[in-house]
Amino acid sequence: MVDSAENKVLVREFNADTDSEVVGKLERNCDLGSKRGVSIFTNMMGDPCCRIRFYPLHVMLVAELLENRELVGVVRGCMKHVGTGFGASYEIGCILGLRVSPTHRRMGIGLKLMNSVEEWLLRKGAQYTFLATEKGNIASTNLFTFKCNYVNLSSLVIFVQPICSPIDDLLPQEIKIEKLHIDQAIFLYKNKLRGKDMYPTDIDVILKEKLSLGTWVCYFEEQGWINLNTEENGKDITSKTQSSWVIFSIWNTCEAYKLHIRKSHPLRSFHATLSQAREKILSCLKLPVRVSMQSSFGFLFLYGIHGEGEKLGELMKSVWNFASRLGQNVKDSKLILTELGLCDPLIKHVPKDSNMSCINDVWYAKSLISHADEKDELLLKGQLGNVFVDPREF
Ligand SMILES: CC(C)(COP(=O)(O)OP(=O)(O)OC[C@H]1O[C@@H](n2cnc3c(N)ncnc32)[C@H](O)[C@@H]1OP(=O)(O)O)[C@@H](O)C(=O)NCCC(=O)NCCS
């Protein structure tokens, strides 16, 4: 069948003037997860490039039928630089937003788009390409592993919680949460991220993005943190951290795109299938009825969560409550999401709330070049269990 795509489909760069509307429609047709009469799609608010704009080097490719110039597929790619816990750093090409119109699937168009975006990323200097998909997405998993030779790089869990008004949402008196100045946050992350298996090297750029609402530290008052009102220079921060503390940042996706529910279930609560921003099907998401009735809504993404000490469970609960309270004041935000690698030490401290849903996510990678020295080969390190999830790719 690949021949039919080879001969009938042209892959070219997206043209914002002529293609935006059609790509929007294509997205709406593709973003379906239908279970119990509910389907959710992404509203990119008129900007199909909204998820790759954060990266200076990015591309969006479309697949066009030669016979009638109909757009039947799309894929996005961007370049980023990552560091690793074993000291190496790499140029990585991220592939995201691959979609083929439901009426043109299994004709080799997805494969053709993948090959084309990989070629573009290779030309821009990518050593590896990287993508993520929900574990149960058989079509994309088969495409990536069998046809494109990707291997499993990391297994992660996405945690999703509706923003509601919890009765016990006040912070326990002994727990404090303080916002860090951006320079302190950058310094602290640069210091701590080196312990991750993989992390973006431009954390300063991420923290300075307008979608990043800030960085906070959560700690027990008796154990102290630092007095943020004094003229501390950033270098003092790490030496003054004690016992149990958690650092986290919050990203507001509502400003970039919205999720839109097509049809609502009449019952008070239900399990919906949610195909969200990064193509992952959020199966069994428990949405309260007021979320389901929203015409469109967004979420806050908790990122850069790092914790140290013995009593992380209590602190993590406070972090979630804090994010939830913050979300109540952010227009259209209805969910709190985070994603952690399976070996992230904090994963066992995520609050076990009855409203919390979990989705298994898998990252795949592929080497685009041959490595002279095997020590440099990222894919020979085995699965990366404790990775920094970049909010820009969510
Ligand atoms: C995943 C997707 C892009 C595949 O597009 P496509 O044009 O149908 O893919 P291709 O025709 O190039 O298929 C190539 C291979 O992928 C695998 N594949 C594709 N669809 C499949 C399916 N429904 N079930 C099982 N394997 C499938 C097969 O190995 C196929 O090769 P084959 O046809 O020779 O068996 C498309 O199904 C889609 O848009 N899905 C919704 C969005 C999505 O999930 N995107 C990926 C998220 S990262």
Side-chain angles (χ1 to χ4, degrees):
M1 292 299 273
V2 174
D3 269 336
S4 63
E6 282 304 324
N7 301 330
K8 294 182 179 169
V9 174
L10 167 78
V11 173
R12 61 163 174 82
E13 282 205 25
F14 166 79
N15 178 333
D17 295 332
T18 53
D19 299 334
S20 288
E21 201 178 318
V22 191
V23 169
K25 273 192 199 146
L26 181 68
E27 294 281 347
R28 287 196 287 281
N29 282 339
C30 289
D31 246 358
L32 44 84
S34 56
K35 225 186 211 176
R36 304 190 191 201
V38 178
S39 73
I40 298 189
F41 65 90
T42 314
N43 175 0
M44 306 224 160
M45 305 201 291
D47 180 9
C49 292
C50 62
R51 291 175 57 209
I52 46 177
R53 275 205 196 292
F54 300 110
Y55 298 93
L57 265 181
H58 64 256
V59 74
M60 183 156 153
L61 301 177
V62 293
E64 181 180 277
L65 292 184
L66 287 173
E67 59 177 9
N68 58 8
R69 306 200 59 194
E70 184 188 352
L71 293 195
V72 291
V74 63
V75 69
R76 291 124 172 127
C78 54
M79 288 294 300
K80 67 187 280 188
H81 192 78
V82 298
T84 61
F86 44 90
S89 62
Y90 302 104
E91 296 295 335
I92 302 269
C94 299
I95 298 176
L96 56 164
L98 171 68
R99 316 225 184 240
V100 172
S101 149
T103 50
H104 292 82
R105 290 188 184 162
R106 294 310 277 268
M107 294 167 60
I109 297 171
L111 180 58
K112 187 161 178 160
L113 282 164
M114 283 294 292
N115 290 339
S116 306
V117 75
E118 283 176 2
E119 276 166 27
W120 187 92
L121 292 164
L122 180 63
R123 282 201 302 278
K124 299 295 170 198
Q127 296 163 280
Y128 295 90
T129 41
F130 163 95
L131 42 82
T133 193
E134 191 254 346
K135 201 176 175 185
N137 190 338
I138 305 292
S140 58
T141 303
N142 285 357
L143 169 62
F144 302 148
T145 55
F146 297 147
K147 296 283 169 170
C148 302
N149 301 319
Y150 279 76
V151 296
N152 185 330
L153 181 70
S154 191
S155 297
L156 305 97
V157 180
I158 302 171
F159 296 92
V160 189
Q161 192 175 36
I163 292 176
C164 28
S165 322
I167 299 159
D168 63 343
D169 69 345
L170 288 178
L171 279 184
Q173 270 195 339
E174 68 276 16
I175 292 181
K176 295 281 166 224
I177 294 188
E178 286 181 20
K179 192 168 188 178
L180 291 184
H181 185 276
I182 193 154
D183 293 336
Q184 293 171 312
I186 292 170
F187 175 81
L188 197 51
Y189 273 128
K190 285 211 161 156
N191 200 287
K192 295 295 173 189
L193 284 184
R194 285 196 284 267
K196 292 272 179 195
D197 292 338
M198 194 162 89
Y199 56 90
T201 50
D202 60 347
I203 184 70
D204 49 333
V205 175
I206 299 176
L207 295 172
K208 286 175 185 168
E209 278 295 344
K210 75 171 188 329
L211 298 193
S212 193
L213 300 181
T215 300
W216 291 263
V217 281
C218 178
Y219 59 96
F220 291 96
E221 188 170 27
E222 68 198 33
Q223 296 174 352
W225 169 246
I226 63 166
N227 180 358
L228 294 171
N229 296 320
T230 59
E231 296 281 314
E232 300 274 357
N233 97 30
K235 292 201 170 144
D236 291 332
I237 295 177
T238 41
S239 59
K240 291 207 173 192
T241 58
Q242 291 173 27
S243 294
S244 304
W245 60 282
V246 172
I247 180 172
F248 62 99
S249 302
I250 297 181
W251 185 266
N252 176 16
T253 60
C254 308
E255 293 284 318
Y257 57 83
K258 299 274 179 5
L259 303 174
H260 195 102
I261 296 186
R262 274 208 179 100
K263 202 165 141 200
S264 176
H265 195 280
L267 300 179
R268 267 200 66 73
S269 74
F270 61 93
H271 290 199
T273 297
L274 170 60
S275 169
Q276 50 83 306
R278 218 169 62 186
E279 296 78 50
K280 289 169 287 244
I281 309 298
L282 305 189
S283 47
C284 300
L285 177 65
K286 297 159 193 161
L287 290 172
V289 72
R290 70 173 172 283
V291 172
S292 69
M293 298 306 281
Q294 291 285 322
S295 56
S296 68
F297 61 95
F299 58 88
L300 298 186
F301 186 63
L302 266 172
Y303 73 97
I305 311 179
H306 168 85
E308 291 177 8
E310 301 289 316
K311 292 156 78 178
L312 292 174
E314 288 168 66
L315 294 180
M316 287 286 274
K317 192 164 181 283
S318 296
V319 168
W320 247 261
N321 276 340
F322 174 84
S324 207
R325 277 205 312 281
L326 188 84
Q328 284 168 26
N329 297 317
V330 174
K331 190 169 177 290
D332 296 331
S333 108
K334 297 292 168 202
L335 301 171
I336 301 291
L337 264 76
T338 198
E339 179 165 20
L340 298 171
L342 282 183
C343 300
D344 191 313
L346 283 184
I347 201 163
K348 61 177 185 286
H349 298 296
V350 172
K352 308 275 178 306
D353 193 283
S354 60
N355 282 328
M356 186 78 85
S357 308
C358 300
I359 304 102
N360 293 320
D361 190 29
V362 185
W363 288 2
Y364 292 96
K366 166 179 175 173
S367 180
L368 293 187
I369 55 164
S370 56
H371 296 264
D373 188 346
E374 283 204 345
K375 281 201 302 254
D376 286 342
E377 174 57 280
L378 176 67
L379 304 183
L380 293 180
K381 306 291 177 195
Q383 276 217 22
L384 308 183
N386 181 9
V387 291
F388 179 100
V389 179
D390 195 324
R392 294 171 293 190
E393 283 142 37
F394 226 88

